Amino acid sequence: MATLLHIDSSFNGDKSVSRAVTASFRQAWAEQHPEGTVIYRDLATDPLPHLTAEAYYPGFIPAEERTQEQQAAFALRDSLVTELETADAVLLGVPLYNYSVPSSFKAWLDHIIVVGRTAGEAPSAAGKPATIVTSRGGSYRPGTPMEGRDYNHPYLQFVLGQQLQLDVEFIVPELTLAPTTPAMASLVEQSEASAAQAHEDARARAKSLATQLVA
């Protein structure tokens, strides 16, 4: 059966829109793969340590040539990379925080980007389908005052889509702050419509991938 790697990074718990949308994906996925495996990491409640020099440089040394100290320092990165490599599909909840990714998610990226393995000439996870739910409090669409200031989408497209060569698809619920921000009261209806569309897209994406993976 198929294996799903599911990463959440929002610190908003039950109030998180990105978590709600990834949950819709995962529910639809489970309906198609009731006996499948889900590797789950909640980077908000169980954050990863920041990448250190001790853990970074062994990635450039062949495994058989590393010292015991280097092997130990690289162990977490190796485990995280293996999770990515063994998954059949990837689901990432990555809200927009201060115009970019949450620092907890950046830490995960720093660990799993290993030149010569996941990045470089022949990335080990190339072609793997990745669904990225990147929620945002406002709207950054063309024509809006904040156009061009959402750095999540271009950054993740470059890192995951071009460097790791994953087959990425984005789901973008926006205006998530409207229900709780008086100044955005006129946008609540649009916020609700965007969330509803995101949930629909997530369920459809999960079912589509399930069909492809079992074909």
Side-chain angles (χ1 to χ4, degrees), residues 10-210:
S10 170
F11 53 48
N12 284 323
D14 293 340
K15 298 179 181 179
S16 167
V17 173
S18 66
R19 286 176 180 271
V21 175
T22 60
S24 286
F25 179 107
R26 185 163 164 177
Q27 180 180 4
W29 174 274
E31 291 171 355
Q32 304 297 317
H33 297 289
E35 299 179 2
T37 300
V38 176
I39 302 170
Y40 181 62
R41 285 190 175 272
D42 187 332
L43 301 180
T45 60
D46 190 16
L48 297 167
H50 288 295
L51 183 62
T52 63
E54 290 77 13
Y56 176 72
Y57 288 108
F60 295 95
I61 302 172
E64 64 275 10
E65 297 179 13
R66 295 174 193 149
T67 65
Q68 289 186 346
E69 291 77 11
Q70 290 171 331
Q71 290 281 23
F74 190 74
L76 174 61
R77 298 188 70 196
D78 184 58
S79 175
L80 294 170
V81 169
T82 299
E83 289 179 353
L84 174 65
E85 293 171 337
T86 58
D88 296 291
V90 181
L91 172 64
L92 306 173
V94 193
L96 179 70
Y97 286 169
N98 295 320
Y99 311 108
S100 187
V101 300
S103 59
S104 60
F105 187 80
K106 179 58 164 61
W108 179 77
L109 281 179
D110 285 340
H111 283 292
I112 60 104
I113 297 173
V114 181
V115 176
R117 184 170 173 182
T118 59
E121 293 185 3
S124 57
K128 200 177 299 291
T131 305
I132 306 169
V133 179
T134 172
S135 55
R136 50 201 194 187
S139 179
Y140 296 76
R141 293 178 180 275
T144 64
M146 297 296 284
E147 178 183 356
R149 297 178 184 177
D150 171 4
Y151 297 99
N152 260 15
H153 195 290
Y155 172 65
L156 294 171
Q157 177 66 55
F158 173 74
V159 173
L160 299 175
Q162 296 184 40
Q163 296 302 298
L164 272 63
Q165 295 183 26
L166 300 178
D167 181 11
V168 299
E169 180 169 315
F170 288 84
I171 297 175
V172 188
E174 62 176 13
L175 300 169
T176 63
L177 290 176
T180 59
T181 305
M184 299 175 68
S186 64
L187 301 172
V188 170
E189 186 174 345
Q190 293 181 48
S191 170
E192 293 173 346
S194 180
Q197 185 63 57
H199 283 281
E200 181 179 337
D201 290 346
R203 288 188 289 266
R205 170 73 166 167
K207 292 177 181 178
S208 174
L209 289 178

